Amino acid sequence: MTKATDFTHDAEAISWVESANGHPQFPVQNLPLGVFSANNGGEARGGMAIGDMILDLKEIAGLLEGDGASAARMAGEPTLNALLDQGPDLLTALRQGVFKLLTDKDKKDYVEPALHAAEDCHLHMPVTVGDYTDFYTGIHHATNIGSLFRPDNPLLPNYKYVPIGYHGRSSSIRLSGAEVKRPSGQKKPAEEGGKPGFGPSERLDYELEMGIWIGEGNALGEPIPIGEAERHIAGISILNDWSARDIQAWEYQPLGPFLAKNFHSTISPWIVTMDALAPFRAAQPARPDGDPAPLDYLFDEEDQENGAFGIVMDVYIATKQMRENGDEPHRLSTGPMTAMYWTAAQLVAHHSVGGCNLRSGDLLGTGTLTSGEEGGEGSLIELTEGGKSPLTLPNGETRTFLEDGDEVIMTARAQKDGFASIGLGECRAVIVG
Ligand code: MN
């Protein structure tokens, strides 16, 4: 079941935290979870973003009741794994309790000491990521990439039955802002039968994805039924699955991506909860005529009606030269998260169907989300047709793949008439040689 809306989604609600009102990212209707430390001292601990401020959850635990108070106390840890593992009801209680505190002027004097200016804080990974799995749900991306790697056979016959994925690397996931070091590795020989090259990747790319955070885990051997899958998802963030295409082209057969994608992945710092996203849920787009229906374990009527997300994502580039000249970042693409061929719940049900246990803080990547419209390409390899058609930036610079000094910035935003729009923050990083 997807979450219902409640008083915390009231578009008219105002907070006494003035910067929150009309805030493009973090109005009081959002309240995303993260981990922060104040620059003037103090341990890393759980917080919620509210306008330009961060609320220290442990500090206000005494002002909450019942489950909300327990949740706030659990958020006092340097990672949120234990809190997320409690499941969705505790997160709902925490959100509702905090919303009441932040919208009630009479509570201001009690809550204010627990607020820190975000600019005076350092953000940390919100969870310890035990496992990271990257899927391939963007069917337009899968078709585009398939055409480049296998022109005669772009989409393999399993694609419409199996949510394709691979087990990624969790140790190299970093928060937005951390520099990305260009990887070296074996690169595809220039001609068929030749020797591979070795050296820094010359075809370094980004992938626009969303990250799905697992909340409550499941026991080994006990699959999560599709109808319960939503209750195991804590929230989502923006994910950049950096990819070295020349390394990928040489290594990906027969077992899939390895070093081409394990050197670094960037995640936005705030977990936007399933509660916050309740107003923005959307029907899963109908499959094209002729496509098979999902197998029973992947099909749930409620999930088909409500399992997608009405979120718009954008990718920007700011080269070193652009930043030095004070130029605005240039938008490379924009597109909806509904480009997913499979829903988040289907990914959870599929991942666990053989008995694999998911754990709190595990990360599932959606795969690159390309819209299928021009200007909706989620990676450079698509934008430049495999590097054959360089793109020209407004200042005259050209790019086929990323160069040292390039900064890639991803943003995402949930919008729906009648509701306050919320942002997912940003996922950015600079490439260094
Ligand atoms: Mn990917």
Side-chain angles (χ1 to χ4, degrees):
M1 290 284 284
T2 45
K3 294 235 185 186
T5 54
D6 60 29
F7 63 91
T8 65
H9 302 99
D10 177 5
E12 307 298 319
I14 310 189
S15 173
W16 50 261
V17 179
E18 280 171 18
S19 66
N21 302 319
H23 196 279
Q25 300 285 335
F26 310 127
V28 73
Q29 292 87 352
N30 192 345
L31 302 178
L33 290 162
V35 168
F36 76 102
S37 55
N39 290 344
N40 61 4
E43 300 291 309
R45 58 214 189 260
M48 275 179 173
I50 173 76
D52 296 338
M53 312 294 282
I54 297 174
L55 177 67
D56 183 332
L57 290 169
K58 193 178 167 190
E59 282 290 305
I60 50 107
L63 301 171
L64 298 172
E65 293 168 355
D67 281 352
S70 316
R73 272 192 294 273
M74 295 187 81
E77 301 293 318
T79 70
L80 299 177
N81 296 68
L83 171 62
L84 302 188
D85 198 30
Q86 296 296 307
D89 299 339
L90 223 65
L91 293 185
T92 302
L94 178 62
R95 171 185 170 88
Q96 292 182 345
V98 169
F99 183 93
K100 286 179 192 162
L101 292 177
L102 293 173
T103 52
D104 181 352
K105 274 202 195 85
D106 294 343
K107 297 291 190 322
K108 179 177 175 183
D109 288 350
Y110 304 99
V111 178
E112 213 162 30
L115 285 172
H116 299 259
E119 62 181 6
D120 297 332
C121 294
H122 182 72
L123 294 171
H124 304 264
M125 281 294 290
V127 294
T128 300
V129 184
D131 279 293
Y132 160 45
T133 302
D134 198 25
F135 284 93
Y136 201 45
T137 73
I139 190 167
H140 303 293
H141 170 76
T143 306
N144 292 345
I145 291 284
S147 312
L148 292 168
F149 282 60
R150 293 178 305 274
D152 46 338
N153 198 11
L155 214 53
L156 298 173
N158 56 4
Y159 188 86
K160 291 176 177 177
Y161 288 96
V162 180
I164 301 292
Y166 67 96
H167 285 114
R169 184 75 191 169
S170 58
S171 67
S172 52
I173 300 172
R174 291 290 180 279
L175 270 201
S176 175
E179 287 179 342
V180 174
K181 189 162 186 228
R182 180 181 299 272
S184 283
Q186 286 196 34
K187 298 179 283 189
K188 191 179 181 180
E191 49 205 56
E192 196 85 18
K195 269 192 170 181
F198 182 90
S201 171
E202 292 163 84
R203 291 164 71 89
L204 184 56
D205 200 355
Y206 58 82
E207 291 194 334
L208 172 62
E209 307 198 13
M210 298 299 288
I212 298 160
W213 296 105
I214 296 300
E216 186 181 356
N218 61 304
L220 183 68
E222 292 179 21
I224 299 170
I226 178 98
E228 288 170 30
E230 286 265 341
R231 289 184 59 82
H232 293 265
I233 301 174
I236 64 176
S237 297
I238 308 164
L239 174 66
N240 184 344
D241 177 29
W242 302 97
S243 297
R245 302 299 182 193
D246 37 8
I247 298 173
Q248 184 179 2
W250 178 229
E251 75 175 5
Y252 86 104
Q253 285 179 315
L255 281 184
F258 186 27
L259 308 191
K261 289 165 178 280
N262 76 356
F263 56 94
H264 197 127
S265 310
T266 304
I267 189 93
S268 61
W270 295 103
I271 299 176
V272 174
T273 64
M274 295 301 266
D275 280 304
L277 294 166
F280 311 105
R281 302 310 294 272
Q284 175 65 359
R287 292 183 162 205
D289 284 347
D291 280 14
L295 296 192
D296 283 351
Y297 80 95
L298 293 171
F299 185 83
D300 177 76
E301 224 158 273
E302 153 81 11
D303 181 47
Q304 293 297 311
E305 278 163 26
N306 256 325
F309 297 87
I311 288 176
V312 174
M313 309 163 300
D314 295 288
V315 186
Y316 300 83
I317 189 169
T319 66
K320 185 160 180 278
Q321 190 183 320
M322 289 168 68
R323 294 199 305 282
E324 282 170 359
N325 292 339
D327 298 342
E328 288 293 311
H330 171 69
R331 188 164 76 179
L332 293 170
S333 71
T334 184
M337 193 179 163
T338 46
M340 293 168 68
Y341 190 77
W342 301 98
T343 66
Q346 286 174 320
L347 301 185
V348 169
H350 182 68
H351 204 309
S352 65
V353 72
C356 171
N357 54 318
L358 300 176
R359 293 177 297 184
S360 153
D362 283 357
L363 180 64
L364 310 186
T366 57
T368 309
L369 297 178
T370 287
S371 70
E373 310 278 323
E374 194 170 334
E377 297 84 357
S379 65
L380 278 177
I381 194 172
E382 293 168 88
L383 267 174
T384 65
E385 298 169 76
K388 289 200 286 286
S389 315
L391 57 95
T392 304
L393 301 174
N395 67 355
E397 287 182 279
T398 60
R399 286 292 180 277
T400 48
F401 290 96
L402 296 169
E403 296 190 7
D404 292 349
D406 286 353
E407 182 170 33
V408 176
I409 305 151
M410 297 176 175
T411 62
R413 193 167 173 73
Q415 267 171 314
K416 190 173 190 177
D417 283 349
F419 291 93
S421 174
I422 61 173
L424 281 99
E426 58 178 26
C427 179
R428 68 161 73 212
V430 176
I431 305 295
V432 297

